[in-house]
Amino acid sequence: MAKKNTQDISEGFFYSLSEWKQHAIALAILFLVPFFLFTATTIGGKELQRHDITQWRAGAESVIEYREKFDKEPLWVENMYLGMPAFVVSVATQVPHIDFVSRFFHKIYPAFQYWIMLSGTYFLLILMGFRPLTAVFGSITYSLTTYFPIIIGAGHTSKFVALAFAPWIFVGYWKLTRSDNKLAGLLLFTVAMALEVRAGHPQITYYFMYLLGFLWIADSWNQIKEKNFRQFGIITGLLILGGIVGIVGHAQSFLTLQEYSPFSIRGGSALDGTTGLSAGYAFAWSQGIKETLTLFIPEIFGGASPNYFGPKSFTSGPHYLGALVLPFILVALFKQKSRTLFVFFGTGTLAIIFAWGGNFLLINQLAFDYIPLFNKFRAPETWLVLTAFCYSIVAVYGLDWFIDFVKKKSSSIQELYIPLGITALIFAFLFIQVKSSDFTNPNEVARLSQQIAQQNQVSPNNPQVKQRAISVIQQNFVPERKESANRDLFRLGIFLALTITLIWFALKRKLSIGLASLGLIFLAGFDMITVGKRYIPEQVIVDKNRDTVAYLESRKRDIDQYIIDNINSENGEYRYRVFPLLVSTFQEATPSYFYPTIGGYTGAKLSIVADLQKAGGPLYKGDAGLNLELLGALNIKYINYQTGLRIPGLREVFTGNSGSVFENEKLLPKAFFVDSLVFVDTPQEAFNFVDQPNVNYSNVAVVENADGLTTMPDASSSVVVTNYTGAEISLEIERSQPGFLVLSEIYYPAGWIAKLNGEEVPIYKTNYVLRGFEIPAGEHKLELEFKPNSYSLGVTLGWISLIIQILLGIAVGFIHLQKKSKIES
């Protein structure tokens, strides 16, 4: 563990101040950091127009409409992906917490979240025994890694909030494991864990649990080795208690997402028997092994697309950790002897290996196959946020050693020859890498060759095509890539030289420790802020108070207005669906703001929907690549596309400025009876049935695992939708013979309850993605409601957790007052 600061005249004016003044100045420095990084939003009268927030708002439209109309939560999204649970889109939190108190400040985005992150890292480092300015240095190097402005600009708000709260988990852990006031530590750890899971980004929480686990193992080893079993038992028990209470504090979301996960793409696909993401999908956006050099030279691989030429398909920017951490990490590794230091370094290094994903399958395939939950998340490069956190703390260990070393009268630069010499060797290696690079990637040559071949209707294997692609890249991209890489190499050299100069001045007593530390803080802040600003696109900085709804409304096209005017069913109880082919249907939610679509935007859609949308899959079987019969069964009335589409069964009904609207003449009602059934035992068999063209879905349906059902033709039958909100559906039915009813709503078994004349009846998985019901002869009322028990149980557990946390707070306050009273008496 780092040593506590002991005041010394060589430390300068800052460290001659009282302790609270030191902390006040340090926190003031950290308070100013977001202002300099986001000057346009903090003092420039602008705000961030975040892509993912816009997509979220579009996808959440039906939820928000329901909430405003009925003043309760629908728990169901009606306007995306044929319908889906709202848990991954928008559900209002029912149980208050400390984040409710700070809700106003959350609007000061992203400055407020940065303050949470910076202060959490700072207090952790202070608890670890580091000096205030040293803690400021570590807080800045972590919190200003370039990945954060990138995700902020992209609108990954929940991810950034989770990252902001993560340091506070370790503040609680340190307080709980290393102080006598374990009750206060338990309270801090519990509240931090609750806030972390409430941020709503399980992937980030999962990553930081690795560090927590490794720290616990290292600490437990020490306690067991010293035969301090009682301390081990108390700490472990309190950590388990705090973790459970904290996680349960967000059980409303945790339980529902856990219930949803097996049915989403995160739970795999019934077609291939997987229980998580496919390896190919999960390992998308794996960090290249050489690309790890961007930790120190941000644009050695071109920076952001289109100049980027690394192994990923595209990127918005690198994970830059900063120039100054490099020498101090090496100082720490060679000069500090601390098991805790090596826990941080080892965890950060493991995170790098995990970030390599598909580029290092030797370890990552094993992790994917055997480590719990590892196969639930994609974009392995995200692991580098854990690397940034761990390596920043390792660098702080190095800086702390250096400050203690400077205070010794016998200090000499010779003690630093090895770490500084290795720093020079690494710089030489980076120099060789930059100078020997051809600044191209074979994959991009292949992609461009394919585009050129398609444009000229020739084979992509034509040597002239490949040569043309190489020539385009060499002329249009390579010069800028080469310039930016050399610029950042030179920049790294300058910052390393300035860092070594400050080290030398401190060793020669020409600068006090305080001034040298401030100099390093300034260099680190300037380095990180200037690089971070490169990856905040100008288009995301918009005028303040720009309303997301107004922005979406401004994107309404004439074809959208036509669909809005004609999308309602004949009795006005529900809206038909749309297949918006003018956009990336399954990655764009904007059309879903205006009307229900088969597509949308979320990273956790239902797996059965993902199966339908696969290239060459069921949706695209048929004339000109569209399965109109299946689209009709899915209640899709309109398709928008470019003017002039000629497919039998599609009728062009409106031509606008941006394309045309086509009506599907094979549209089926929201609910309809079939004359015959096909019974299958496996999802694959059901999928094979719908994965064929020209199926008359008005006559036949395929049902899984439901032998014994009967249906008969009945020309006099009728079914009318009398109420439809998405989360509640009512139908009036008349039959003279028993029949089988197909409801064009997505099949989701966890939470939907169907009642026929007040008695619960089963819901059958029909046509692979829809719902079916056995209906006897007679007049009936069929009512469906989405009301998962996991949600109500989660709310109850959330209240229990909150009560426990309040009681803990009262107990901590009471004990503190008692101790204070004893001291005063």
Side-chain angles (χ1 to χ4, degrees):
M1 181 181 288
K3 295 178 180 178
K4 283 282 185 182
N5 163 45
T6 56
Q7 190 170 311
D8 187 284
I9 191 69
S10 66
E11 296 196 8
F13 170 75
F14 178 84
Y15 286 110
S16 68
L17 299 172
S18 64
E19 189 173 342
W20 76 267
K21 287 182 180 178
Q22 292 178 29
H23 290 315
I25 293 172
L27 290 171
I29 293 171
L30 297 178
F31 183 85
L32 291 173
V33 165
F35 282 95
F36 290 109
L37 181 59
F38 291 95
T39 51
T41 62
T42 52
I43 59 176
K46 302 286 185 178
E47 67 181 10
L48 295 169
Q49 178 68 52
R50 294 159 275 163
H51 172 267
D52 278 19
I53 294 299
T54 304
Q55 293 295 305
W56 165 82
R57 180 59 184 83
E61 174 63 12
S62 68
V63 174
I64 294 169
E65 285 181 349
Y66 183 102
R67 191 179 291 153
E68 292 175 348
K69 184 175 181 180
F70 298 105
D71 194 28
K72 63 178 182 177
E73 289 299 301
L75 308 181
W76 190 258
V77 175
E78 174 257 336
N79 57 316
M80 282 202 309
Y81 293 118
L82 306 174
M84 64 182 294
F87 313 135
V88 291
V89 180
S90 177
V91 177
T93 303
Q94 302 298 309
V95 182
H97 206 273
I98 192 172
D99 53 0
F100 272 49
V101 179
S102 60
R103 183 180 293 179
F104 170 79
F105 297 102
H106 281 270
K107 297 177 182 178
I108 311 173
Y109 185 86
F112 181 71
Q113 288 74 17
Y114 259 112
W115 296 332
I116 293 173
M117 179 188 294
L118 287 159
S119 61
T121 309
Y122 176 80
F123 286 122
L124 170 62
L125 292 170
I126 292 298
L127 283 176
M128 292 176 71
F130 295 112
R131 296 166 175 82
L133 291 182
T134 309
V136 170
F137 176 83
S139 301
I140 285 176
T141 55
Y142 166 60
S143 300
L144 293 185
T145 181
T146 54
Y147 184 68
F148 298 153
I150 289 169
I151 62 174
I152 289 166
H156 297 173
T157 305
S158 63
K159 180 184 288 186
F160 185 57
V161 173
L163 286 162
F165 283 125
W168 286 96
I169 294 175
F170 299 95
V171 173
Y173 176 84
W174 233 261
K175 185 73 174 173
L176 175 57
T177 58
R178 287 163 171 80
S179 76
D180 294 331
N181 193 349
K182 299 208 177 317
L183 198 61
L186 175 62
L187 174 63
L188 198 55
F189 180 74
T190 303
V191 171
M193 187 64 75
L195 291 170
E196 173 65 25
V197 296
R198 284 169 69 90
H201 204 284
Q203 184 171 4
I204 295 300
T205 306
Y206 178 76
Y207 291 169
F208 278 87
M209 289 303 101
Y210 276 72
L211 176 59
L212 188 67
F214 289 135
L215 285 170
W216 173 79
I217 290 171
D219 291 340
S220 298
W221 174 257
N222 283 338
Q223 291 157 2
I224 293 172
K225 188 177 179 182
E226 295 171 3
K227 297 184 178 180
N228 196 347
F229 300 113
R230 183 174 182 274
Q231 183 78 349
F232 164 75
I234 291 172
I235 289 175
T236 301
L238 290 177
L239 285 171
I240 293 172
L241 175 63
I244 291 174
V245 174
I247 292 171
V248 165
H250 199 41
Q252 169 195 321
S253 176
F254 176 78
L255 290 181
T256 50
L257 287 174
Q258 184 183 46
E259 183 178 63
Y260 173 73
S261 179
F263 305 104
S264 77
I265 56 175
R266 306 294 170 123
S269 170
L271 297 183
D272 52 27
T274 57
T275 57
L277 297 172
S278 67
Y281 184 79
F283 287 146
W285 278 274
S286 293
Q287 185 82 348
I289 294 177
K290 282 189 176 181
E291 194 180 4
T292 309
L293 299 176
T294 58
L295 289 172
F296 304 112
I297 300 183
E299 299 200 357
I300 193 171
F301 277 89
S305 299
N307 281 328
Y308 170 75
F309 62 97
K312 298 190 283 282
S313 56
F314 66 88
T315 185
S316 298
H319 290 255
Y320 179 58
L321 187 53
L324 275 70
V325 299
L326 177 58
F328 288 112
I329 285 175
L330 293 168
V331 168
L333 295 178
F334 282 95
K335 296 299 180 180
Q336 284 277 33
K337 295 180 180 178
S338 165
R339 181 179 283 109
T340 304
L341 179 155
F342 285 99
V343 170
F344 280 102
F345 180 74
T347 305
T349 304
L350 179 65
I352 288 177
I353 295 172
F354 285 161
W356 290 342
N359 298 313
F360 196 70
L361 289 175
L362 179 65
I363 289 178
N364 287 316
Q365 188 64 55
L366 289 172
F368 185 84
D369 291 337
Y370 296 108
I371 296 180
L373 303 179
F374 197 95
N375 62 358
K376 301 296 183 183
F377 307 109
R378 67 190 298 249
E381 67 161 350
T382 313
W383 277 99
L384 290 176
V385 299
L386 184 58
T387 299
F389 183 71
C390 292
Y391 277 14
S392 293
I393 292 179
V394 174
V396 169
Y397 272 98
L399 178 57
D400 182 72
W401 177 91
F402 172 71
I403 291 173
D404 283 341
F405 178 65
V406 168
K407 293 172 65 178
K408 297 178 181 178
K409 293 182 180 180
S410 60
S411 60
S412 169
I413 191 71
Q414 292 179 354
E415 286 281 339
L416 295 171
Y417 279 174
I418 292 178
L420 294 183
I422 294 176
T423 301
L425 288 175
I426 292 174
F427 180 78
F429 171 75
L430 293 170
F431 180 88
I432 293 170
Q433 286 293 314
V434 171
K435 297 303 179 183
S436 61
S437 175
D438 63 2
F439 300 101
T440 61
N441 183 318
N443 292 333
E444 70 172 345
V445 173
R447 286 195 297 268
L448 187 57
S449 297
Q450 188 71 34
Q451 293 174 12
I452 294 172
Q454 288 178 350
Q455 291 171 359
N456 294 276
Q457 297 183 342
V458 296
S459 170
N461 297 321
N462 188 314
Q464 292 181 331
V465 170
K466 184 176 181 180
Q467 189 58 44
R468 173 59 180 160
I470 293 173
S471 176
V472 169
I473 292 170
Q474 288 289 341
Q475 292 176 14
N476 296 313
F477 296 106
V478 167
E480 187 173 347
R481 291 170 177 175
K482 187 174 182 179
E483 180 185 354
S484 61
N486 278 283
R487 176 195 65 207
D488 279 350
L489 177 68
F490 178 74
R491 190 177 185 280
L492 173 64
I494 292 294
F495 275 102
L496 288 177
L498 290 172
T499 301
I500 293 170
T501 300
L502 281 172
I503 288 173
W504 187 85
F505 272 109
L507 281 171
K508 293 299 182 181
R509 308 296 198 277
K510 296 182 182 296
L511 279 179
S512 69
I513 289 172
L515 283 176
S517 298
L518 286 170
L520 290 171
I521 289 169
F522 174 79
L523 283 179
F526 182 80
D527 176 23
M528 303 296 284
I529 288 173
T530 51
V531 174
K533 281 194 169 185
R534 298 178 190 176
Y535 307 108
I536 305 174
E538 291 184 9
Q539 62 266 27
V540 306
I541 306 294
V542 298
D543 292 334
K544 200 163 182 115
N545 298 322
R546 183 172 183 179
D547 184 69
T548 304
V549 172
Y551 174 74
L552 286 166
E553 288 289 347
S554 72
R555 298 189 62 183
K556 184 190 294 182
R557 304 159 296 184
D558 48 5
I559 58 174
D560 294 322
Q561 189 59 58
Y562 176 85
I563 294 173
I564 291 169
D565 293 339
N566 294 275
I567 197 69
N568 288 339
S569 63
E570 289 72 14
N571 66 354
E573 285 296 334
Y574 63 92
R575 297 178 296 175
Y576 293 105
R577 299 191 179 103
V578 178
F579 198 165
L581 288 174
L582 284 172
V583 299
S584 180
T585 306
F586 301 102
Q587 292 296 324
E588 173 66 46
T590 302
S592 301
Y593 174 77
F594 301 109
Y595 35 72
T597 76
I598 191 176
Y601 179 82
T602 176
K605 64 176 77 75
L606 285 164
S607 61
I608 55 175
V609 173
D611 293 335
L612 280 189
Q613 73 182 52
K614 291 176 181 176
L619 296 179
Y620 308 103
K621 297 289 174 69
D623 295 330
L626 282 178
N627 190 339
L628 296 184
E629 288 83 3
L630 179 57
L631 295 180
L634 298 178
N635 213 217
I636 294 173
K637 181 177 182 179
Y638 293 120
I639 297 170
N640 59 38
Y641 196 61
Q642 298 171 1
T643 301
L645 185 63
R646 298 287 183 265
I647 299 178
L650 275 188
R651 182 168 61 94
E652 191 168 0
V653 292
F654 181 81
T655 300
N657 297 323
S658 54
S660 292
V661 178
F662 299 86
E663 185 174 342
N664 182 8
E665 295 180 335
K666 298 183 179 182
L667 171 72
L668 294 179
K670 174 69 73 175
F672 55 93
F673 285 100
V674 293
D675 294 340
S676 62
L677 298 173
V678 175
F679 298 103
V680 296
D681 296 324
T682 67
Q684 184 65 62
E685 291 176 290
F687 182 82
N688 293 341
F689 182 89
V690 299
D691 190 29
Q692 56 182 327
N694 305 318
V695 175
N696 184 0
Y697 290 98
S698 65
N699 180 63
V700 63
V702 60
V703 186
E704 296 179 38
N705 299 308
D707 293 344
L709 299 179
T710 59
T711 187
M712 301 176 65
D714 186 354
S716 64
S717 67
S718 69
V719 54
V720 178
V721 177
T722 56
N723 179 50
Y724 182 89
T725 66
E728 299 99 4
I729 306 171
S730 297
L731 304 98
E732 298 286 351
I733 300 168
E734 288 189 26
R735 291 281 300 181
S736 60
Q737 301 288 339
F740 189 82
L741 178 71
V742 178
L743 179 64
S744 186
E745 290 290 307
I746 199 76
Y747 177 80
Y748 180 70
W752 275 103
I753 297 172
K755 292 183 177 181
L756 188 68
N757 303 325
E759 294 187 8
E760 190 168 341
V761 294
I763 303 174
Y764 298 100
K765 188 181 178 189
T766 305
N767 292 339
Y768 193 69
V769 293
L770 300 180
R771 306 177 205 171
F773 306 88
E774 188 177 28
I775 305 296
E779 295 184 4
H780 308 285
K781 184 175 184 179
L782 179 63
E783 296 174 295
L784 292 90
E785 183 179 13
F786 186 60
K787 197 173 182 180
N789 292 330
S790 58
Y791 176 77
S792 55
L793 175 61
V795 172
T796 301
L797 291 175
W799 279 108
I800 293 172
S801 171
L802 180 62
I803 291 169
I804 292 173
Q805 292 174 63
I806 292 172
L807 291 175
L808 269 175
I810 293 171
V812 169
F814 179 75
I815 292 171
H816 174 74
L817 290 175
Q818 271 194 328
K819 288 182 178 179
K820 186 177 179 182
S821 177
K822 286 181 180 180
I823 292 171
E824 290 176 351
S825 61

